[in-house]
Amino acid sequence: MQDYSKLPDAPRAFGFHLDGAWVPKGSRDWIERTSPAHGVRVTRVVHCTLADLESGVRAARRAFRSGVWSEVAGAARAGVLLKAASGIRARLDEIAYWETLETGKPISQSRSEIGGAADHYEYAAGVARTLKGDAFNNLGPDMMGFVTRQPIGVIGLITPWNFPFIILAERIPYMLAAGCVIVAKPSEFTSASTLIMAEILTEAGLPKGVFNVVTGYGADIGQAMTEHEDIDVLSFTGSIGVGRKVLLASASNLKKLSLELGGKNPQIVFADADLEDAADGIVFGLLFNAGQCCVSGSRLIVERSVAGRLEELLRDKFDRVRLGDPLDPKTQVGAMVTPEHMKKVLGYVQKGIEEGATLAHGGQSYGAPCVQFVQPTLLTGVRNDMTVARDEIFGPILTMIEFDTLDEAVEIANDNILGLAASIWTKDLDKAMKTMRRVEAGRTWVNTTIAGGPELPIGGFKQSGSGRETGVYGVEEYTELKSIHIALGKREHWVG
Ligand code: NAD
């Protein structure tokens, strides 16, 4: 039995999960994961072959056509989803531990994400029972109309490394509630919790073939999934660059896409905001997952008259936030995912300085044992045309831009190809609502940031993606609408 406060003595090895059962590695290669915070090998997953992917898609199609899931009552689907939620809660310590070792995120955060994940399964159970269509009784005496929803079919689910378990939970239960079947490919860095989820779903009574996991790299398994002609929908969450490849490859069979891509999210702070609250929210929004978060509020846009005071408050919080070993329950900020990514993040700091920004705080890597950490960093005097204000950096780097009027704040916020999320800080309700309406972002927060849950949909405007996941909207996304006209009485003949 693993002691969850200590590093494992040897990497945990996983098979992959097809047609309701574990498949052992056999002659395939391993993909090994080194803990980004500790520099030791923690897990091994199978580098699946393209033949394994074919087996997964075939198992899923078989399950879909059999009706074993796609045709059962919503109540039966709800029963499995509720059992899956209990299974997640029962294995919370285990899932959180491997999640932290593979991602480098603090254990307290992993635990809260796994609890939140169970909540999604419970909520989706309710939606499975309430999904319905529409009836048209206004088509005249000889016609009635119905609109029904039915499951689309086989979904390919490709997920990123940064929130492996909660991202699954924002998608799988809603896809299952709709009656669909799934072939999932988690990130090669963080496959453990997706494989554990497959076991939990099987134990919860999900029929075989309905949820399958094929582990491997994006360039082979991921690319083959997006090109696959027997996958009806692809749900992709990841970077914008790969999102473009997915879009092109999906032309093979014109599959439906749900794309959840990157963000460069503004935090707009007006002078009348509660600055203490705003500073705390901004620091949380920036340092959550060490800034490796799609909705990270990394682009601070602050009213000029309070910029100095806000900077003081931010620096104070940056000094006091607890950075360090993610297995320590007190740690608030963990590691960068890979050495290459850390180098890229630090490169952006240099680029910002070269383009004329001032390094007001941080800007260095830090710490033992493997030095894969970046200090909370503040760049001031930033203009919106600088690289650091335009690109998704995906690290704990905050850029500060000043404004004088609401129009100017909105213009700066919207002057980016991305539109995932935005936060607005003000005590003036009119100002908050007017700004909220004009900001081009799929998720908008007023006097808070990164709030979420099963009820509200997630997704982006502009190049941050298309489609919506989660909640009722997330279930509808994975259904086809069917229109049915029913003629009543004797037909008036066309050919007399
Ligand atoms: P990534 O794009 O490198 O990888 C994401 C997934 O795509 C992985 O499973 C990877 O193996 C796979 N992949 C890679 N190449 C592929 C290809 N050619 N075809 C198909 N699949 C391929 O992203 P990442 O580094 O894992 O995650 C970080 C990115 O994800 C950031 O840009 C972040 O903003 C974004 N993200 C978005 C959301 C959202 O909800 N909008 C949530 C989390 C992360």
Side-chain angles (χ1 to χ4, degrees):
M1 176 71 180
Q2 177 65 47
D3 176 346
Y4 295 136
S5 63
K6 296 197 170 68
L7 289 170
D9 293 331
R12 178 171 173 182
F14 291 86
F16 59 106
H17 216 271
L18 275 197
D19 217 4
W22 287 107
V23 182
K25 169 184 170 284
S27 58
R28 303 168 189 85
D29 292 333
W30 285 122
I31 299 175
E32 288 202 319
R33 178 64 176 153
T34 296
S35 163
H38 309 96
V40 300
R41 284 175 304 155
V42 286
T43 50
R44 280 182 181 156
V45 298
V46 179
H47 183 183
C48 289
T49 62
L50 294 180
D52 296 328
L53 173 62
E54 282 309 313
S55 304
V57 176
R58 269 202 302 275
R61 179 61 65 191
R62 222 170 21 243
F64 186 70
R65 289 257 161 81
S66 75
V68 67
W69 187 252
S70 54
E71 291 172 18
V72 298
R77 289 183 199 148
V80 172
L81 293 171
L82 290 173
K83 279 196 197 129
S86 306
I88 292 170
R89 292 193 199 283
R91 293 177 72 171
L92 190 147
D93 292 341
E94 177 199 359
I95 305 169
Y97 174 76
W98 296 106
E99 190 89 331
T100 279
L101 290 185
E102 286 194 334
T103 59
K105 69 176 61 179
I107 190 74
S108 58
Q109 183 190 322
S110 289
R111 292 181 62 84
S112 123
E113 284 173 24
I114 312 304
D119 197 26
H120 277 281
Y121 285 81
E122 282 157 359
Y123 186 85
V127 184
R129 302 192 69 166
T130 53
L131 193 63
K132 58 183 177 2
D134 229 331
F136 288 79
N137 198 19
N138 58 346
L139 305 182
D142 304 328
M143 191 70 80
M144 290 237 358
F146 296 96
V147 177
T148 62
R149 287 188 179 275
Q150 53 189 69
I152 295 191
V154 177
I155 301 175
L157 173 59
I158 299 180
T159 51
W161 69 266
N162 61 340
F163 293 98
F165 202 70
I166 191 78
I167 280 178
L168 281 188
E170 287 166 346
R171 289 154 182 72
I172 294 175
Y174 304 104
M175 295 167 172
L176 293 181
C180 289
V181 301
I182 303 166
V183 179
K185 190 209 84 67
S187 164
E188 54 273 28
F189 298 129
T190 55
S191 300
S193 60
T194 305
L195 291 163
I196 295 172
M197 192 64 226
E199 192 171 71
I200 290 173
L201 283 165
T202 302
E203 285 168 8
L206 191 71
K208 65 180 194 161
V210 177
F211 183 69
N212 309 277
V213 184
V214 181
T215 46
Y217 294 102
D220 49 16
I221 300 293
Q223 183 73 25
M225 280 173 78
T226 60
E227 288 168 6
H228 205 291
E229 296 195 9
D230 206 27
I231 290 181
D232 304 303
V233 193
L234 198 101
S235 166
F236 173 81
T237 305
S239 59
I240 303 145
V242 177
R244 274 205 188 94
K245 288 189 193 171
V246 167
L247 185 67
L248 292 174
S250 68
S252 61
N253 64 335
L254 297 176
K255 55 174 70 63
K256 183 175 177 183
L257 287 183
S258 170
L259 297 175
E260 301 290 329
L261 309 177
K264 185 69 180 175
N265 313 295
Q267 293 266 7
I268 303 173
V269 182
F270 289 100
D272 60 24
D274 179 326
L275 289 187
E276 265 97 18
D277 278 5
D280 192 69
I282 291 162
V283 169
F284 168 70
L286 179 78
L287 300 184
F288 187 59
N289 223 37
Q292 302 163 115
C293 177
C294 55
V295 290
S296 172
S298 59
R299 201 154 56 105
L300 173 57
I301 302 171
V302 54
E303 195 159 345
R304 197 175 309 279
S305 59
V306 294
R309 175 71 187 132
L310 187 62
E311 185 183 329
E312 265 171 44
L313 292 167
L314 290 172
R315 289 158 66 116
D316 173 56
K317 297 242 174 210
F318 280 169
D319 283 337
R320 290 187 295 122
V321 72
R322 291 188 297 269
L323 319 162
D325 181 354
L327 280 180
D328 179 343
K330 292 200 217 64
T331 294
Q332 292 174 291
V333 186
M336 294 284 102
V337 64
T338 56
E340 297 74 32
H341 183 62
M342 185 178 81
K343 221 170 131 198
K344 187 174 148 203
V345 169
L346 291 171
Y348 269 113
V349 178
Q350 282 319 306
K351 182 87 179 158
I353 296 167
E354 281 161 29
E355 290 185 358
T358 303
L359 180 62
H361 197 94
Q364 305 288 319
S365 60
Y366 70 90
C370 79
V371 207
Q372 209 166 290
F373 297 81
V374 171
Q375 293 172 333
T377 298
L378 177 64
L379 292 169
T380 56
V382 172
R383 290 186 323 272
N384 210 36
D385 61 353
M386 291 180 183
T387 312
V388 285
R390 306 208 73 75
D391 292 7
E392 181 185 47
I393 298 177
F394 226 53
I397 316 299
L398 185 66
T399 59
M400 196 189 221
I401 301 179
E402 298 175 22
F403 71 86
D404 294 302
T405 64
L406 187 153
D407 284 349
E408 199 188 341
V410 171
E411 194 184 313
I412 297 168
N414 289 342
D415 178 21
N416 197 282
I417 59 166
L418 300 175
L420 193 60
S423 294
I424 299 156
W425 299 86
T426 172
K427 286 294 175 196
D428 179 334
L429 184 63
D430 288 352
K431 209 183 269 182
M433 291 299 101
K434 283 184 176 158
T435 310
M436 180 277 292
R437 280 186 173 157
R438 290 173 60 189
V439 161
E440 295 160 354
R443 299 173 71 182
T444 309
W445 296 289
V446 176
N447 293 325
T448 188
T449 195
I450 317 192
E455 292 85 359
L456 278 64
I458 55 178
F461 282 24
K462 303 195 278 191
Q463 294 187 34
S464 285
S466 58
R468 292 294 180 271
E469 305 278 5
T470 293
V472 177
Y473 311 88
V475 178
E476 289 177 356
E477 192 81 19
Y478 295 102
T479 61
E480 290 278 23
L481 284 176
K482 182 174 276 180
S483 304
I484 307 127
H485 281 93
I486 302 172
L488 306 174
K490 178 76 182 147
R491 179 177 173 84
E492 190 179 317
H493 285 207
W494 185 57
V495 182

